[in-house]
Every structure is written in structure tokens, then in C-alpha cells.
Amino acid sequence: MENEMKDSEKLKNYYNTVYNSKEYKQYLEADARAKASLSGTMNAYGALQSSVLFFTFSIFFSIFLALKFAIYYGPILIIIAIVFMVVESKEDKKNSKQSNLLYTERAEKEKLFKSLLASTEKPNLPDEKLTPECIVELIKVFDSGRADTFKEALIIYEQDCQHRELVGYQNSLRQAAYNAQMQAENAKKEAEAARREADYQQREADYWREEERYWNNR
């Protein structure tokens, strides 16, 4: 019994075995490459669609030039559109092939990682708490000396989460109050400026009215 691992040691061992493994790192890298390739594939597909639209436009525009102005440069425009469409089609096929390869690689890396995950003994924690983010926070609770068991660590972890949410909520209220105060002050300044402008306009009107009365009574 003396050699039995503490809960904190079990958790650290699980984290190192699973989330510091080459299988997990390779899976993350493959996932990032696959997602990046998907963006490139979508861009290439969009360019291909544009080339098809350009080809269609070139046909109708060539017919319009021939019928309206007897200009027969249309075939050149159509040839340019065809070349553009062929180039974009090849690029689209290239990107699609590359994306398929990367997603196949991602699936293989994910399979290896899940195999490691299934063969690793899990700590006595709910599955939703076995994410790398949660485990890191739980390890911090253990390292702070505030908990010795999984049960204690979970309670403190939940309290910490609630505290962070409360602090975040309070900060949002303070920010909202500050924004409201600033808006009120700005509105007050604008109202004061409008009042001063109105007073100025009234004085100007009174001045010119008196000027007009003076010259009319001479």
C-alpha cells in the first residue's frame, strides 16, 4: 500500500502518457494540416467556378460583339477563358487530391491516438474532465496543496470555475456600467454643446433683429 500512487501522480502520469505522447502531437499536426488544406481546396473550387462563369460570359459576349458590331474577336476571348478554366480545373483536382491524402493521414493518426487512449488506464474522473485543459487545471489544484484526492480536486476545480465566471460577470457589469457612464457623459456634453449653439444662434438672431429695427427707424 505504501507504494500506491497518489491521485495527483496518477493524473500526471495519465497526462504525460496521453497528451505528451507522440501519437497525440502527430494527430494534432495532421488535423491542422487537413483543416488548412480544406481552406485551399475551397479557394481553388471558387476559382474554378469563376472560370466557368468567365467562359460562359465570353461565349455570350462574343455573340453580342459579332451581331451588334460585326467584331469577330470573340474566339480569342473564348480561348483565353478555356485556358483559364483548364488551369483552374487542374489546380482544383490537385488541391482535392492533396486534401484527401491529408484527411486520410489525419484519420490514421486519430486511430493511433484513440488506440493509445483506450489502452491507458483512466484516472477515477468523469470522462468530460479528462480533456487536456481540465487535467492541467486539476494538476494545478493538486500542486497548490489544496487537494489530495480526485474528489477534493474536483470540488475545488468547480469552485475555481464558478469563481472565474463570477469575476468575469462582475467585470462585465463594471464594464457595462463604465460604458453607460461614458455614454451619459458624452450625451451631457453633446446636449451642453447643442445648448450653447442654440444660445449663440439666438443672440445672433437678436442682434440682427435689433440691427434691422435700428435701420428701419432712422
Side-chain angles (χ1 to χ4, degrees):
M1 297 292 291
E2 293 182 358
N3 294 328
E4 185 178 353
M5 294 178 65
K6 297 179 180 180
D7 285 352
S8 60
E9 294 172 336
K10 292 178 182 178
L11 189 60
K12 290 178 181 178
N13 183 64
Y14 179 81
Y15 183 85
N16 289 328
T17 302
V18 174
Y19 295 113
N20 277 334
S21 66
K22 71 176 191 306
E23 288 85 354
Y24 181 64
K25 293 176 182 178
Q26 289 174 352
Y27 165 64
L28 290 181
E29 291 170 358
D31 183 62
R33 287 194 295 269
K35 289 178 179 177
S37 72
L38 180 60
S39 176
T41 300
M42 295 301 294
N43 290 336
Y45 179 74
L48 176 60
Q49 293 296 101
S50 298
S51 68
V52 172
L53 290 175
F54 178 52
F55 174 69
T56 305
F57 166 79
S58 67
I59 293 175
F60 286 101
F61 188 63
S62 299
I63 295 173
F64 170 76
L65 289 178
L67 295 178
K68 187 73 175 177
F69 304 105
I71 298 175
Y72 299 100
Y73 295 133
I76 297 176
L77 185 63
I78 293 174
I79 291 172
I80 293 173
I82 291 174
V83 171
F84 180 56
M85 189 167 57
V86 170
V87 171
E88 293 302 334
S89 177
K90 289 182 178 179
E91 187 67 20
D92 179 61
K93 289 179 180 179
K94 176 184 175 182
N95 278 277
S96 295
K97 183 178 179 180
Q98 181 68 15
S99 182
N100 289 335
L101 290 174
L102 289 173
Y103 268 92
T104 299
E105 179 193 21
R106 178 190 180 279
E108 292 173 352
K109 299 301 182 183
E110 183 181 21
K111 183 178 179 181
L112 291 173
F113 170 65
K114 286 186 175 180
S115 176
L116 171 66
L117 198 62
S119 63
T120 303
E121 184 179 357
K122 293 182 178 180
N124 187 24
L125 291 168
D127 286 346
E128 65 269 17
K129 302 301 182 187
L130 292 178
T131 64
E133 296 79 14
C134 285
I135 293 176
V136 167
E137 291 299 319
L138 288 168
I139 289 175
K140 289 179 181 178
V141 172
F142 278 120
D143 288 345
S144 69
R146 293 184 292 162
D148 295 317
T149 65
F150 287 134
K151 184 177 180 180
E152 294 172 349
L154 278 175
I155 292 173
I156 294 173
Y157 168 76
E158 294 296 341
Q159 291 174 344
D160 288 348
C161 289
Q162 291 174 5
H163 176 70
R164 283 195 293 269
E165 289 178 2
L166 179 60
V167 170
Y169 177 68
Q170 290 174 338
N171 288 338
S172 66
L173 288 179
R174 291 193 190 97
Q175 186 63 42
Y178 174 77
N179 291 340
Q181 180 183 357
M182 293 302 295
Q183 289 176 358
E185 290 179 359
N186 289 335
K188 184 178 179 181
K189 291 177 181 178
E190 290 174 359
E192 181 64 22
R195 185 189 64 78
R196 288 196 299 268
E197 179 64 21
D199 289 344
Y200 171 77
Q201 294 295 336
Q202 183 62 47
R203 288 194 301 271
E204 283 288 296
D206 291 342
Y207 170 80
W208 289 110
R209 191 179 300 112
E210 289 297 325
E211 281 286 303
E212 183 179 5
R213 185 181 298 115
Y214 171 78
W215 289 106
N216 290 336
N217 293 332
R218 287 191 64 180

